[in-house]
Amino acid sequence: MTSGVRTLWKEHKLLLTAFAIAVTVMVFFAVRTVIFWVYWADPAHREEPIAGWMTPRYVAHSWAVPAEIIRDALAVPQDTKRVTIKALAEMRGVQTEEIVRQIEAIITEYRADETVTRP
């Protein structure tokens, strides 16, 4: 086994390095996927009470609402990444509870809309 790897390393350093990098990236994303799956499979993370530390995307995932609907309704700039509800409220000069009420209204409206096809 060792002699085979040595031969590969001698004759194909670039190819073996590229393969090792590809395997490392694959393992990273596989582990990340499993961690996310385990996290969101826990019923405790579904329909969590909305808090200031959450991002609109987190709320959307927790409440099974498309993230675009919440982002568009709150008019979150597209170039903004991972802005929390609290930070969004501070940017607008309103209380966090006001943004939370808006999100709750968005969720209620989305769920009441019978024309929307849900997974």
Side-chain angles (χ1 to χ4, degrees), residues 2 17 37 39 62 88 92 98:
T2 312
T17 302
W37 180 80
Y39 182 84
S62 180
L88 190 61
R92 296 186 178 169
E98 175 62 30

Side-chain angles (χ1 to χ4, degrees), residues 56-75:
R57 183 175 175 193
Y58 183 95
V59 173
H61 201 87
S62 180
W63 287 83
V65 174
E68 300 80 37
I69 290 177
I70 292 179
R71 283 185 69 92
D72 292 346
L74 292 177

Side-chain angles (χ1 to χ4, degrees), residues 25-61:
V25 169
M26 180 191 68
V27 168
F28 169 78
F29 283 109
V31 169
R32 187 174 181 253
T33 300
V34 169
I35 289 170
F36 285 164
W37 180 80
V38 168
Y39 182 84
W40 287 111
D42 183 358
H45 299 290
R46 292 190 206 126
E47 297 188 5
E48 280 187 79
I50 301 169
W53 63 266
M54 296 177 176
T55 64
R57 183 175 175 193
Y58 183 95
V59 173
H61 201 87

Side-chain angles (χ1 to χ4, degrees), residues 3-113:
S3 64
V5 174
R6 283 188 189 143
T7 303
L8 276 174
W9 182 249
K10 275 180 146 179
E11 296 178 15
H12 304 287
K13 285 183 184 176
L14 185 62
L15 187 61
L16 193 59
T17 302
F19 179 74
I21 291 170
V23 168
T24 303
V25 169
M26 180 191 68
V27 168
F28 169 78
F29 283 109
V31 169
R32 187 174 181 253
T33 300
V34 169
I35 289 170
F36 285 164
W37 180 80
V38 168
Y39 182 84
W40 287 111
D42 183 358
H45 299 290
R46 292 190 206 126
E47 297 188 5
E48 280 187 79
I50 301 169
W53 63 266
M54 296 177 176
T55 64
R57 183 175 175 193
Y58 183 95
V59 173
H61 201 87
S62 180
W63 287 83
V65 174
E68 300 80 37
I69 290 177
I70 292 179
R71 283 185 69 92
D72 292 346
L74 292 177
V76 177
Q78 291 297 329
D79 60 338
T80 307
K81 294 258 182 186
R82 297 184 180 177
V83 62
T84 63
I85 294 169
K86 183 177 180 181
L88 190 61
E90 289 172 359
M91 287 175 10
R92 296 186 178 169
V94 298
Q95 295 292 321
T96 304
E97 293 77 22
E98 175 62 30
I99 302 291
V100 170
R101 280 193 291 275
Q102 289 176 2
I103 293 172
E104 289 170 345
I106 294 164
I107 292 168
T108 303
E109 182 180 323
Y110 174 78
R111 290 186 171 177
D113 188 358

